[in-house]
Amino acid sequence: ISPFSPNLPFSLYVANVMNALVAVPFYCASQLIIEASWCGRKGAVVGSLLSAGACLALSAGITDETWSMVIYYAANGALSLAFGVIYVWAAELFPTNIRTRSMSFQSVFARVGAILSPYVIDLGSSNLSLALLIFSVPCMMSGVIDLALPDTRGVVLPDSIVDVAVDESEFSDSTDS
């Protein structure tokens, strides 16, 4: 959401400095959080995406400019944390023999989002609330969908699709008894 800066109520330069000042601590914290036993990769990504989506939606509905910006930058920080973790977690979710291919597909879909975002940003110049809501929906949807994925912290990563199938059959056998 950093390119959204031209739609904020202050100078573009100030907005970009604020984006950086908010993002850096969250990037640094992400490296500590992904190794925490209470959170891990999944918890960091899911929590960040859901928090960011909720903050963006809340920011769209708040009429007080100051509080709206505080909540907007909270969303920006949460997304920075998610972005700092998502590449680690996304790479670990797939077996070694298809990991690079899966990362390339993920990169393609990220570029689709990057292609579409300027249109939403342009919409923000005329309807700020709608643009923030449009940005919030994919965050919340991704957070909910990611709940179905496993956490990879401390887990031996599979080398092939066969290893994934074996791991899943062992899991289903242990839950059936």
Side-chain angles (χ1 to χ4, degrees):
I1 61 175
S2 294
F4 197 71
S5 298
N7 297 324
L8 299 179
F10 35 81
S11 147
L12 177 63
Y13 301 108
V14 171
N16 282 317
V17 167
M18 291 292 294
N19 281 336
L21 290 174
V22 168
V24 169
F26 281 89
Y27 277 122
C28 294
S30 71
Q31 300 312 303
L32 300 172
I33 289 173
I34 64 173
E35 293 302 327
S37 60
W38 54 268
C39 190
R41 287 121 168 91
K42 179 180 179 176
V45 171
V46 169
S48 295
L49 288 172
L50 291 175
S51 298
C55 285
L56 287 170
L58 190 60
S59 181
I62 293 179
T63 56
D64 181 48
E65 193 173 275
T66 303
W67 282 108
S68 181
M69 289 300 99
V70 167
I71 294 171
Y72 168 83
Y73 280 113
N76 190 5
L79 287 173
S80 296
L81 191 141
F83 191 75
V85 176
I86 196 81
Y87 280 101
V88 174
W89 190 39
E92 291 176 348
L93 283 171
F94 293 95
T96 305
N97 64 350
I98 64 165
R99 188 167 295 140
T100 54
R101 192 172 309 137
S102 70
M103 292 302 290
S104 67
F105 281 119
Q106 293 170 44
S107 181
V108 166
F109 286 103
R111 300 303 158 245
V112 170
I115 290 168
L116 295 176
S117 69
Y119 297 106
V120 179
I121 292 166
D122 189 43
L123 174 66
S125 63
S126 61
N127 192 339
L128 183 65
S129 295
L130 180 60
L132 289 171
L133 286 173
I134 290 171
F135 279 130
S136 75
V137 170
C139 292
M140 290 191 276
M141 287 176 53
S142 298
V144 169
I145 291 169
D146 287 348
L147 285 170
L149 298 173
D151 194 1
T152 57
R153 188 182 83 66
V155 175
V156 176
L157 301 179
D159 286 326
S160 68
I161 300 278
V162 173
D163 294 343
V164 174
V166 168
D167 290 345
E168 287 178 359
S169 67
E170 287 175 3
F171 178 75
S172 64
D173 290 344
S174 66
T175 57
D176 290 340
S177 47

